[in-house]
PDB file of all heavy atoms in Angstrom:
ATOM      1  N   THR A 129     -21.708  -9.907  -4.156  1.00  0.00           N
ATOM      2  CA  THR A 129     -20.885  -9.240  -3.192  1.00  0.00           C
ATOM      3  C   THR A 129     -19.369  -9.622  -3.250  1.00  0.00           C
ATOM      4  O   THR A 129     -18.588  -9.070  -2.544  1.00  0.00           O
ATOM      5  CB  THR A 129     -21.314  -9.399  -1.753  1.00  0.00           C
ATOM      6  OG1 THR A 129     -21.319 -10.765  -1.477  1.00  0.00           O
ATOM      7  CG2 THR A 129     -22.749  -8.809  -1.605  1.00  0.00           C
ATOM      8  N   THR A 130     -19.050 -10.578  -4.107  1.00  0.00           N
ATOM      9  CA  THR A 130     -17.713 -11.008  -4.235  1.00  0.00           C
ATOM     10  C   THR A 130     -17.293 -11.026  -5.719  1.00  0.00           C
ATOM     11  O   THR A 130     -18.005 -11.655  -6.564  1.00  0.00           O
ATOM     12  CB  THR A 130     -17.515 -12.443  -3.666  1.00  0.00           C
ATOM     13  OG1 THR A 130     -18.101 -12.506  -2.332  1.00  0.00           O
ATOM     14  CG2 THR A 130     -16.074 -12.816  -3.530  1.00  0.00           C
ATOM     15  N   VAL A 131     -16.132 -10.443  -5.999  1.00  0.00           N
ATOM     16  CA  VAL A 131     -15.686 -10.373  -7.387  1.00  0.00           C
ATOM     17  C   VAL A 131     -14.355 -11.083  -7.437  1.00  0.00           C
ATOM     18  O   VAL A 131     -13.408 -10.725  -6.654  1.00  0.00           O
ATOM     19  CB  VAL A 131     -15.521  -8.936  -7.872  1.00  0.00           C
ATOM     20  CG1 VAL A 131     -14.929  -8.926  -9.253  1.00  0.00           C
ATOM     21  CG2 VAL A 131     -16.812  -8.189  -7.837  1.00  0.00           C
ATOM     22  N   HIS A 132     -14.184 -12.113  -8.248  1.00  0.00           N
ATOM     23  CA  HIS A 132     -12.972 -12.905  -8.434  1.00  0.00           C
ATOM     24  C   HIS A 132     -12.346 -12.522  -9.792  1.00  0.00           C
ATOM     25  O   HIS A 132     -12.958 -12.547 -10.811  1.00  0.00           O
ATOM     26  CB  HIS A 132     -13.219 -14.381  -8.441  1.00  0.00           C
ATOM     27  CG  HIS A 132     -13.919 -14.894  -7.177  1.00  0.00           C
ATOM     28  ND1 HIS A 132     -13.214 -15.035  -5.976  1.00  0.00           N
ATOM     29  CD2 HIS A 132     -15.176 -15.262  -6.944  1.00  0.00           C
ATOM     30  CE1 HIS A 132     -13.984 -15.507  -5.111  1.00  0.00           C
ATOM     31  NE2 HIS A 132     -15.219 -15.626  -5.643  1.00  0.00           N
ATOM     32  N   LEU A 133     -11.117 -12.067  -9.762  1.00  0.00           N
ATOM     33  CA  LEU A 133     -10.357 -11.766 -11.002  1.00  0.00           C
ATOM     34  C   LEU A 133      -9.139 -12.672 -11.138  1.00  0.00           C
ATOM     35  O   LEU A 133      -8.392 -12.895 -10.172  1.00  0.00           O
ATOM     36  CB  LEU A 133      -9.820 -10.272 -10.893  1.00  0.00           C
ATOM     37  CG  LEU A 133     -10.862  -9.175 -10.693  1.00  0.00           C
ATOM     38  CD1 LEU A 133     -10.178  -7.877 -10.320  1.00  0.00           C
ATOM     39  CD2 LEU A 133     -11.646  -9.049 -11.921  1.00  0.00           C
ATOM     40  N   THR A 134      -8.996 -13.271 -12.327  1.00  0.00           N
ATOM     41  CA  THR A 134      -7.889 -14.187 -12.557  1.00  0.00           C
ATOM     42  C   THR A 134      -7.258 -13.865 -13.889  1.00  0.00           C
ATOM     43  O   THR A 134      -7.948 -13.517 -14.817  1.00  0.00           O
ATOM     44  CB  THR A 134      -8.261 -15.681 -12.531  1.00  0.00           C
ATOM     45  OG1 THR A 134      -9.295 -15.845 -13.468  1.00  0.00           O
ATOM     46  CG2 THR A 134      -8.738 -16.118 -11.189  1.00  0.00           C
ATOM     47  N   SER A 135      -5.941 -13.966 -13.976  1.00  0.00           N
ATOM     48  CA  SER A 135      -5.211 -13.761 -15.254  1.00  0.00           C
ATOM     49  C   SER A 135      -3.767 -14.264 -15.094  1.00  0.00           C
ATOM     50  O   SER A 135      -3.219 -14.273 -13.946  1.00  0.00           O
ATOM     51  CB  SER A 135      -5.151 -12.290 -15.542  1.00  0.00           C
ATOM     52  OG  SER A 135      -4.376 -12.047 -16.744  1.00  0.00           O
ATOM     53  N   PRO A 136      -3.168 -14.666 -16.218  1.00  0.00           N
ATOM     54  CA  PRO A 136      -1.732 -15.007 -16.048  1.00  0.00           C
ATOM     55  C   PRO A 136      -0.792 -13.795 -15.832  1.00  0.00           C
ATOM     56  O   PRO A 136       0.321 -13.982 -15.325  1.00  0.00           O
ATOM     57  CB  PRO A 136      -1.395 -15.719 -17.420  1.00  0.00           C
ATOM     58  CG  PRO A 136      -2.478 -15.391 -18.326  1.00  0.00           C
ATOM     59  CD  PRO A 136      -3.700 -14.991 -17.489  1.00  0.00           C
ATOM     60  N   ASN A 137      -1.312 -12.636 -16.107  1.00  0.00           N
ATOM     61  CA  ASN A 137      -0.456 -11.422 -15.954  1.00  0.00           C
ATOM     62  C   ASN A 137      -0.716 -10.794 -14.581  1.00  0.00           C
ATOM     63  O   ASN A 137      -1.758 -10.227 -14.329  1.00  0.00           O
ATOM     64  CB  ASN A 137      -0.847 -10.376 -17.043  1.00  0.00           C
ATOM     65  CG  ASN A 137       0.110  -9.259 -17.065  1.00  0.00           C
ATOM     66  OD1 ASN A 137       0.794  -8.921 -16.115  1.00  0.00           O
ATOM     67  ND2 ASN A 137       0.126  -8.589 -18.218  1.00  0.00           N
ATOM     68  N   LYS A 138       0.224 -10.930 -13.662  1.00  0.00           N
ATOM     69  CA  LYS A 138       0.120 -10.438 -12.282  1.00  0.00           C
ATOM     70  C   LYS A 138      -0.125  -8.967 -12.225  1.00  0.00           C
ATOM     71  O   LYS A 138      -0.918  -8.450 -11.463  1.00  0.00           O
ATOM     72  CB  LYS A 138       1.360 -10.846 -11.452  1.00  0.00           C
ATOM     73  CG  LYS A 138       1.270 -10.491  -9.989  1.00  0.00           C
ATOM     74  CD  LYS A 138       2.482 -10.998  -9.240  1.00  0.00           C
ATOM     75  CE  LYS A 138       2.322 -10.795  -7.738  1.00  0.00           C
ATOM     76  NZ  LYS A 138       3.435 -11.284  -7.014  1.00  0.00           N
TER      77      LYS A 138
END
Side-chain angles (χ1 to χ4, degrees):
T129 58
T130 309
V131 178
H132 301 285
L133 301 168
T134 55
S135 174
N137 190 341
K138 185 175 185 176

